Amino acid sequence: MDEVGGGTRARVGLMVQYAVTRVLAESATLALATPRLLEAICRSLGWQLGEIWRGDRHPGVLRLVDAWSTQGLGVPDFAIASSEMTFPPGEGLPVGSATGASA
């Protein structure tokens, strides 16, 4: 979305906000909303694939919560690999982007 102009970026941001708000309003729990949130965000941003990761306090790693992809994208190996991965702090991702640490 970096190449998008300010007005378009604002419209896209509002589309994402509306989609997320709608899903949350229609869902009884966050667990039920999560797959629909992921799909709504990905579709609004034109992404073909998206994943949500959560910090697991014990044993202190990031774990995959859910994934979404467009039909026919054909990423079963990637999905399986993602579901089997965990990331301890400072591993696998740029420092600070998921751990809250400063770069």
Side-chain angles (χ1 to χ4, degrees):
M1 216 166 65
D2 290 337
E3 69 280 352
V4 177
T8 301
R9 184 173 303 177
R11 281 191 299 279
V12 170
L14 287 173
M15 284 179 15
V16 172
Q17 182 179 353
Y18 172 75
V20 166
T21 301
R22 187 185 72 244
V23 169
L24 289 173
E26 294 171 352
S27 301
T29 66
L30 186 55
L32 292 173
T34 299
R36 294 182 56 221
L37 283 170
L38 188 54
E39 179 180 359
I41 291 167
C42 289
R43 287 191 184 277
S44 295
L45 294 172
W47 296 351
Q48 292 184 308
L49 174 71
E51 294 182 332
I52 296 178
W53 292 72
R54 175 186 67 218
D56 187 346
R57 290 183 188 193
H58 182 69
V61 296
L62 284 177
R63 291 189 191 282
L64 181 69
V65 173
D66 207 343
W68 177 88
S69 65
T70 55
Q71 266 192 337
L73 187 58
V75 291
D77 293 338
F78 182 79
I80 291 168
S82 293
S83 69
E84 295 172 349
M85 289 181 177
T86 59
F87 292 104
E91 266 188 45
L93 297 168
V95 174
S97 64
T99 62
S102 299

